[in-house]
Amino acid sequence: MAAEVKSDGRTFEVGAVRELFTFTAVVGPRSYDVTPDGQRFLFSTLVTQPLGSSPLPMTVVVNWTAN
């Protein structure tokens, strides 16, 4: 959820609340994280596919912190 907030140092106002996105959450101690700049989210989520279909591909990036 998100809401616009306003403050002039003496008062604090919260605007209308709105939904940012929907997803199927995976319950766990660390099922999500937020980037340090607060601009992106990373979620663990369930992916479903039709019965009998081929498995979905997965990409694994290794050594991503290397220069």
Side-chain angles (χ1 to χ4, degrees), residues 6-28:
K6 296 179 184 177
S7 177
D8 62 9
R10 294 175 299 165
T11 62
F12 183 80
E13 294 180 42
V14 178
V17 176
R18 64 183 174 85
E19 186 175 280
L20 287 176
F21 42 79
T22 59
F23 70 99
T24 304
V26 174
V27 178

Side-chain angles (χ1 to χ4, degrees), residues 63-67:
N63 204 23
W64 57 273
T65 58
N67 292 327

Side-chain angles (χ1 to χ4, degrees), residues 6-63:
K6 296 179 184 177
S7 177
D8 62 9
R10 294 175 299 165
T11 62
F12 183 80
E13 294 180 42
V14 178
V17 176
R18 64 183 174 85
E19 186 175 280
L20 287 176
F21 42 79
T22 59
F23 70 99
T24 304
V26 174
V27 178
R30 294 289 295 182
S31 60
Y32 72 93
D33 203 354
V34 182
T35 57
D37 63 4
Q39 297 299 305
R40 294 188 179 102
F41 300 92
L42 177 67
F43 293 95
S44 295
T45 186
L46 298 173
V47 176
T48 59
Q49 61 189 48
L51 290 174
S53 65
S54 298
L56 297 171
M58 181 172 77
T59 302
V60 178
V61 179
V62 295
N63 204 23

